[in-house]
Amino acid sequence: MEKIGRYVIESEIGRGAMGVVYLAHDPRLRRRVAVKTYALPEGLSEEQLREFQVRFLREAQAAASLSHPGIVVIYDVDGDPDLGLPFIAMEYIHGRSLKELLAQGGRVSPRWAFKMGAVLADALRVAHESGIIHRDIKPANILLRVPDGAPKIADFGVARLSTSDLTRTSASLGSPAYMSPEQFRGNGLDGRSDLFSLATVLYEAFSGGRPFTGEDIPSLAYAIAHEPVEPITRRIEDIPPGLDEFFERALAKNPEDRFSDGGAFLAALQEAASSQPSLAESGLYEAGEAREADPAELAESESRSSADSASGEMPVRRRRGRFLAMKLAAWAVLSLSLLGGATFWLLRPAHLKLDAKSSIETGRLSLLVDGQEVYTRQLSAPRQGNHVFGKLLGRDQETFQDWIKIPPGRHEVAARVLSEGAGPDFRDSIVVELKAGETRTLRMSAGRSFGAPVSLKLD
């Protein structure tokens, strides 16, 4: 396979129960993307096939509306008619999954685990407030970006497809080890199920082992639904004691006994961190911040620290490290002073000046840059009925101008008008290339009186 849609395939980077993930190149925007295809089960009727396509498009579009540093950005949702495959093009995260990290190191630094939990809990809060439940939070769906280790949730909004009646014969119901009790029972789910799964992931990140285990699926399901969670401080000594109470509530069997939402989950996680002063004083727990070293280095540093302490070599290594750090710091100050001015000049933002006119009486305008909403406005052109002279004189139009800050480079800019009446929605897009500090005028017309429902032009 050489292409999917307009995307040129470079290599395969993952494979799951429902499809394959490819690293691809977007020739239109000249960037790398991850393209995930979805294989349909055999033996579907035409009605079931249409149902899948409608649900796939609806849920992927809903996920594309999410904007959070802890959620992988969705750029495009479409289907390849030649291959017969629906696909999603999304942000390519250079790094690895939390599953790969845990398989190598066993556990991660408590300091970084708290940071990761803060980002992911806040990401789930944003998604749940938008009415979107993930349904398959697990280490394999948490990607860690190189080089800073920033965590991002993948497969948002499409994991539900694997739990529908339509695909039940070809896909597992999530990952059993991280499922909530209500998932095993087949009950209705809300955001608290995702938070149970996140708590299971964090318990494993802190301790190196899952809170519930079983020799087979039935015994695992029984443990998750009935057995109390072992206090994590019995497994690991170097973590805040407040985590025992946190996990007891986060992994409660009854959803009513858990944290009500991602915000409450995050607040309790912060409170647990405060029970260990060395962590609380470092100010690590602002949601959206996870900018420490690569977590693999943190896990490895723990192993090195334990070995050094046992051999009595820690003080000598620390003195050598400090001397080397002083030399490096001197070079760093000189380098930063030279590079600072150049960096500031090269990273100056560009601007789009929006010059718009609209004859749409009721609607909502959204401008998106690379799939992310950057501007919105309610449209309300004056009502002139069928008065011919009013239209000829432009009295049925509204005009407005705004300035939009945009990073330098090549971008896809799209205008979308959502009708509030019974009419259809309209969309147009254009590719722009901006230099640092440059200002370009983006002219937009909306309304059939201009010859097209929505049109964009770059001056």
Side-chain angles (χ1 to χ4, degrees):
M1 186 187 308
E2 297 182 355
K3 292 181 67 177
I4 298 177
R6 75 169 189 256
Y7 304 98
V8 180
I9 302 301
E10 295 185 6
S11 63
E12 179 181 322
I13 56 178
R15 183 177 289 266
M18 291 192 67
V20 184
V21 183
Y22 298 96
L23 174 62
H25 175 71
D26 183 350
R28 185 175 185 183
L29 296 178
R30 299 178 185 174
R31 64 182 175 191
R32 279 182 157 185
V33 298
V35 176
K36 184 167 187 177
T37 63
Y38 291 83
L40 301 179
E42 297 180 0
L44 293 182
S45 66
E46 292 187 5
E47 182 179 353
Q48 288 177 315
L49 181 60
R50 286 194 298 269
E51 178 190 349
F52 179 91
Q53 292 171 337
V54 169
R55 185 188 299 120
F56 174 83
L57 182 62
R58 181 177 63 246
E59 295 188 2
Q61 286 176 335
S65 68
L66 297 177
S67 178
H68 189 278
I71 297 175
V72 174
V73 179
I74 293 179
Y75 296 138
D76 188 15
V77 183
D78 206 343
D80 189 311
D82 296 331
L83 300 173
L85 288 175
F87 67 83
I88 294 178
M90 64 191 81
E91 177 185 11
Y92 170 60
I93 306 300
H94 175 58
R96 54 181 167 171
S97 70
L98 180 61
K99 178 182 178 180
E100 296 173 291
L101 174 63
L102 293 175
Q104 290 184 354
R107 57 179 293 221
V108 299
S109 157
R111 184 183 302 273
W112 188 84
F114 273 113
K115 276 193 169 187
M116 177 182 68
V119 176
L120 300 181
D122 195 58
L124 289 177
R125 175 192 62 80
V126 170
H128 296 162
E129 288 177 354
S130 299
I132 301 175
I133 305 171
H134 191 287
R135 292 174 169 80
D136 196 18
I137 296 294
K138 59 185 178 182
N141 279 336
I142 297 172
L143 306 181
L144 308 175
R145 186 177 64 191
V146 171
D148 55 18
K152 288 176 175 282
I153 303 175
D155 269 3
F156 232 117
V158 296
R160 180 178 183 178
L161 295 174
S162 66
T163 64
S164 69
D165 292 335
L166 179 63
T167 59
R168 188 164 295 172
T169 58
S170 65
S172 63
L173 300 179
S175 297
Y178 304 94
M179 286 168 57
S180 65
E182 55 267 33
Q183 277 182 286
F184 273 110
R185 298 187 187 107
N187 297 345
L189 304 182
D190 58 22
R192 292 171 296 185
S193 177
D194 279 349
L195 295 176
F196 183 98
S197 300
L198 175 60
T200 304
V201 170
L202 291 180
Y203 191 103
E204 184 177 4
F206 276 109
S207 69
R210 297 168 186 160
F212 308 107
T213 58
E215 295 181 356
D216 49 31
I217 297 297
S219 60
L220 174 62
Y222 181 87
I224 291 175
H226 300 287
E227 292 181 1
V229 60
E230 180 184 6
I232 196 170
T233 53
R234 293 184 186 175
R235 298 192 180 189
I236 301 295
E237 296 181 354
D238 60 342
I239 57 176
L243 280 176
D244 283 343
E245 183 178 353
F246 169 80
F247 282 115
E248 182 179 2
R249 184 173 179 187
L251 294 171
K253 311 304 179 184
N254 188 342
E256 298 295 332
D257 297 331
R258 297 180 209 143
F259 300 109
S260 58
D261 54 37
F265 187 103
L266 173 56
L269 190 63
Q270 292 173 325
E271 185 177 352
S274 68
S275 63
Q276 185 166 320
S278 62
L279 291 173
E281 293 171 1
S282 61
L284 296 175
Y285 311 110
E286 289 298 322
E289 295 183 1
R291 298 294 183 265
E292 201 155 318
D294 178 35
E297 297 177 359
L298 297 178
E300 291 168 2
S301 69
E302 283 195 341
S303 300
R304 290 196 301 268
S305 297
S306 300
D308 290 343
S309 297
S311 63
E313 297 177 0
M314 177 65 79
V316 175
R317 293 192 179 189
R318 281 182 176 170
R319 286 196 296 271
R320 291 175 179 172
R322 288 172 184 168
F323 179 72
L324 179 60
M326 291 176 63
K327 294 173 66 177
L328 293 175
W331 282 105
V333 170
L334 178 61
S335 300
L336 288 174
S337 61
L338 294 174
L339 293 175
T343 301
F344 174 78
W345 180 262
L346 292 174
L347 297 182
R348 290 176 300 155
H351 290 85
L352 282 177
K353 178 186 176 184
L354 175 63
D355 188 354
K357 56 184 178 179
S358 168
S359 61
I360 296 176
E361 296 178 354
T362 56
R364 180 175 174 269
L365 166 68
S366 295
L367 278 183
L368 302 95
V369 176
D370 298 335
Q372 294 295 296
E373 186 175 81
V374 298
Y375 177 84
T376 183
R377 180 187 179 92
Q378 195 69 26
L379 299 177
S380 56
R383 297 176 180 271
Q384 292 293 330
N386 294 319
H387 198 285
V388 176
F389 291 105
K391 291 187 176 183
L392 291 175
L393 295 175
R395 292 175 182 171
D396 65 334
Q397 303 172 15
E398 65 170 329
T399 60
F400 51 91
Q401 291 183 338
D402 271 294
W403 294 80
I404 302 168
K405 186 184 294 186
I406 184 172
R410 188 179 178 88
H411 303 279
E412 181 181 41
V413 179
R416 182 172 59 191
V417 175
L418 304 178
S419 174
E420 294 183 355
D425 300 334
F426 304 111
R427 179 186 177 98
D428 189 29
S429 63
I430 189 173
V431 175
V432 302
E433 188 159 5
L434 298 175
K435 300 177 182 178
E438 183 180 27
T439 297
R440 302 283 298 274
T441 298
L442 180 67
R443 299 195 182 276
M444 188 199 82
S445 299
R448 295 189 179 278
S449 59
F450 299 108
V454 181
S455 65
L456 294 176
K457 179 182 178 182
L458 190 68
D459 286 352

